Amino acid sequence: MKPAEFAAYMFLAVAWGLSFLLVLHAVAAFGWVGAVTLRCFIASLTLLIIARVARRKLDFSAGWKAFAVVGATTVAGQLVGLSYATPIIGTAMAAILVASIPLFSMLIGQLWGLERISAQSLIGMILGFSGIVILVGFPAVPFTAAFALGCSACLLGCICAAFGSNYASRHLRGSGAWEITIGSFLAGGLMTLPLLIVIPVPTTPGLSDFAYLFSLAIIMSALTYITYFRLVSLIGATKTISVEFVVTIIAVIVGAVALDEPFSVIQAIGALVIIAGCALVLGLYPKRRTAQLLAPDITCERDF
């Protein structure tokens, strides 16, 4: 992974880790449907305005169908699942389920022949998910019908995210990150808009509520998804989605600092396990220089 790609990867981790806090505020003020719908439209419109001001040429020749599929899955499906589930099951359980996205992505990518999963990447995925369980733990809440529904919604959103990312990698390879982000968010907003008739905005939002919503839409949707889809095209869907492991670490740290949630030694160990797993998936460990061991003279000449 190149330095620029790693910087983009860490930007996604920090932004999406902080987004857990903003999602709770936005859902409380706008409802889970309103928060997703408005978030989609604001993100899409913001990027269109920036592109127009910057005179950036946009190419949507890939067709509405491809953007609609990504909008229905990676955007609408994922955001609806998380927005509905997080207030019900809590950020801890939501974080555990979100960590399953790279695993689903790995399986879909393998089935579609998009990526060849190495033994090292597979071990990294297992380590990353194990670290999530150690880091977050399972919340001590009663298992009710609402809790089960929330977990199911969150898990469905995770599957949608993994499917949409691989679909974009396969069918929108020739489209730019700006086009994919604008098109998918516009499609996602249009798909969730009719649900406002059934589930309207519950209260009259205040100025601070709109501040949370716009931050969520512009910084943690528009900018992050451009970065995200760009990384998918550069390093593949599975490696890009492995950022969800680091997202959980950031979310736990934010919870400990901003919400006074406890952070134990066991959780610190879990964070280290997650980092080790991500390093395996991303190939950050130095590889053995087989060529140098077999032909040192030739390798030395190449180095100079």
Side-chain angles (χ1 to χ4, degrees), residues 31-41 75-76 79-81 83 188-189 192 213:
W32 58 274
V33 174
V36 172
T37 303
L38 294 174
R39 179 179 178 179
C40 287
F41 284 138
V75 178
L79 297 184
V80 165
S83 296
T192 57
L213 179 65

Side-chain angles (χ1 to χ4, degrees), residues 205-212:
L207 290 178
S208 61
D209 299 321
F210 280 102
Y212 285 124

Side-chain angles (χ1 to χ4, degrees), residues 123-124 126-136 245-246 248-250 252-253 263-280 285:
I123 294 173
I126 295 173
L127 273 178
F129 187 75
S130 300
I132 291 293
V133 176
I134 297 173
L135 175 68
V136 181
F245 291 148
V246 189
T248 305
I249 297 177
I250 303 298
V252 170
I253 293 175
F263 189 76
S264 64
V265 175
I266 297 297
Q267 288 177 311
I269 294 173
L272 293 176
V273 173
I274 293 170
I275 294 172
C278 287
L280 281 172
Y285 289 120

Side-chain angles (χ1 to χ4, degrees), residues 117-125 277 279-285 287:
I117 306 302
S118 65
Q120 175 176 305
S121 294
L122 180 59
I123 294 173
M125 288 290 184
L280 281 172
V281 173
L282 298 173
L284 298 181
Y285 289 120
K287 296 181 180 179

Side-chain angles (χ1 to χ4, degrees), residues 144-171:
T144 62
F147 183 81
L149 183 60
C151 288
S152 299
C154 188
L155 190 60
L156 181 60
C158 294
I159 295 173
C160 285
F163 179 90
S165 297
N166 280 280
Y167 186 91
S169 180
R170 185 177 187 177
H171 296 279

Side-chain angles (χ1 to χ4, degrees), residues 171-259:
H171 296 279
L172 291 172
R173 188 178 297 273
S175 300
W178 282 71
E179 287 84 351
I180 297 175
T181 305
I182 293 172
S184 59
F185 267 91
L186 180 59
L190 291 173
M191 291 176 186
T192 57
L193 182 61
L195 293 176
L196 282 172
I197 299 175
V198 181
I199 307 172
V201 176
T203 61
T204 301
L207 290 178
S208 61
D209 299 321
F210 280 102
Y212 285 124
L213 179 65
F214 273 83
S215 297
L216 194 61
I218 297 174
I219 299 175
M220 297 167 182
S221 295
L223 298 182
T224 55
Y225 271 77
I226 284 180
T227 305
Y228 174 78
F229 286 121
R230 176 63 176 164
L231 272 182
V232 168
S233 66
L234 292 174
I235 66 175
T238 297
K239 286 186 177 181
T240 303
I241 293 183
S242 70
V243 73
E244 297 292 356
F245 291 148
V246 189
V247 166
T248 305
I249 297 177
I250 303 298
V252 170
I253 293 175
V254 170
V257 174
L259 303 176

Side-chain angles (χ1 to χ4, degrees), residues 77-91:
Q78 178 182 199
L79 297 184
V80 165
L82 292 177
S83 296
Y84 173 80
T86 302
I88 298 174
I89 67 178
T91 56

